[in-house]
Amino acid sequence: MPVQIGLQLYTLREECARNLVETLSKVAELGYRGVEFAGFYGCSAVEVSRMLQEFNLHPIASHVSIDDLRQRLPEVLEFHREIGCDYIVCPWVGPQLFRDGNRARALIGELEEIGKTVGQRGMRFGYHNHAFELENRLDGEIALDALYRRTEASAVLAELDLYWIRRAGEDELAYLRRYAGRIPVVHLKDMAEDGFFAEVGTGVMDLDGIFAVGNTSGVQWYVVEQDECRHHSSLESVKISMEQLKERGWV
């Protein structure tokens, strides 16, 4: 059964920096139905909104740095309201924060407060993981699990990055089940046999299992991302990922 497939624009960061409108046009041509932003490259909210409408792309979510969330939250929320994006995601914090229990606890509390503020504006807030949140412990618990257990699900959603869960030695399907109902968006990535990033459908990740479990766990969007592309250009890589998904009947 087809699912909703989007693209994390970080994959095409160099192309976006050169020409965002041209890049979004190519993304739509490839068959992606939505995008997740990782910056706006100097474009105004009016300009971004116009691009999304022109290419019929849904603004799935947006990665916003922890510094901007701390220092510019009202401006951030207004910009995203104007482009019709209601899901703000913290994409990264320094790994050192999860190696220090006091700093990790403080961060978790801060994320919940940010999430509550976002929620008061009628929007949603989530946290995106890498491997280090699963490789570190907080009071004897995997730090990522501690983060989600100590925050309200309504305040901090889970944007699970399935590649990094596997890279940390954990079971991505188990995490999809564990956070069912809290994961409207997940990062769909693939892994080469040597552990490097791969085009979706060309690596070792169990796509059929991911979609089967994800669909029963409330996942609404599967966002393709490839942090680095070593055999192809980034545009060719996202094209290959989409072709693989189409061949398997998921698009």
Side-chain angles (χ1 to χ4, degrees):
M1 181 177 71
V3 296
Q4 294 196 107
I5 301 292
L7 179 68
Q8 166 50 260
L9 292 173
Y10 179 78
T11 311
L12 301 178
R13 54 196 177 276
E14 294 180 3
E15 290 81 359
C16 288
R18 287 194 294 268
N19 191 319
L20 182 59
V21 64
E22 182 178 298
T23 302
L24 290 179
S25 174
K26 290 178 179 177
V27 168
E29 287 176 9
L30 291 175
Y32 290 93
R33 298 175 60 188
V35 290
E36 181 177 45
F37 288 97
F40 297 98
Y41 305 93
C43 295
S44 69
V46 170
E47 291 170 326
V48 173
S49 181
R50 186 181 301 125
M51 295 175 204
L52 293 170
Q53 292 176 16
E54 180 178 355
F55 304 122
N56 196 28
L57 288 169
H58 180 71
I60 301 165
S62 179
H63 279 193
V64 179
S65 72
I66 187 65
D67 287 342
D68 280 348
L69 292 170
R70 287 167 171 161
Q71 301 166 15
R72 301 179 51 252
L73 188 56
E75 301 166 53
V76 165
L77 297 182
E78 179 58 23
F79 187 102
H80 287 84
R81 184 192 66 76
E82 291 182 23
I83 69 169
C85 179
D86 74 345
Y87 189 18
I88 309 298
V89 179
C90 177
W92 162 272
V93 297
Q96 69 277 4
L97 295 178
F98 284 95
R99 301 185 186 119
D100 181 308
N102 289 332
R103 297 178 74 185
R105 293 184 201 96
L107 173 68
I108 290 170
E110 184 179 19
L111 291 173
E112 181 161 51
E113 288 306 309
I114 291 171
K116 288 180 178 179
T117 300
V118 173
Q120 289 168 2
R121 293 287 298 273
M123 303 170 78
R124 301 173 295 165
F125 177 69
Y127 182 82
H128 165 269
N129 65 277
H130 289 78
F132 57 82
E133 299 94 340
L134 297 109
E135 294 168 342
N136 288 284
R137 298 293 186 272
L138 179 59
D139 300 326
E141 184 178 17
I142 290 175
L144 187 66
D145 293 321
L147 188 162
Y148 292 130
R149 185 176 60 79
R150 298 178 187 210
T151 56
E152 296 179 14
S154 60
V156 183
L157 296 170
E159 185 180 65
L160 297 180
D161 189 307
L162 306 179
Y163 169 94
W164 288 116
I165 292 173
R166 172 76 72 91
R167 186 69 180 267
E170 300 293 335
D171 181 348
E172 66 275 10
L173 299 185
Y175 267 81
L176 286 170
R177 295 186 184 98
R178 185 174 306 167
Y179 294 106
R182 196 172 181 171
I183 44 174
V185 178
V186 299
H187 275 197
L188 181 67
K189 299 156 84 163
D190 217 330
M191 179 187 294
E193 291 186 2
D194 64 359
F196 199 75
F197 307 103
E199 289 75 24
V200 172
T202 69
V204 301
M205 301 290 279
D206 177 11
L207 293 186
D208 290 341
I210 287 169
F211 289 131
V213 177
N215 288 351
T216 61
S217 297
V219 176
Q220 299 164 11
W221 283 94
Y222 297 86
V223 174
V224 170
E225 183 184 35
Q226 191 167 337
D227 299 39
E228 296 181 43
C229 308
R230 64 179 174 183
H231 297 307
H232 308 278
S233 70
S234 53
L235 268 171
E236 183 64 21
S237 287
V238 300
K239 178 182 178 182
I240 291 170
S241 291
M242 177 54 75
E243 289 172 346
Q244 287 285 325
L245 290 166
K246 287 179 177 178
E247 287 179 11
R248 294 163 182 246
W250 290 111
V251 177

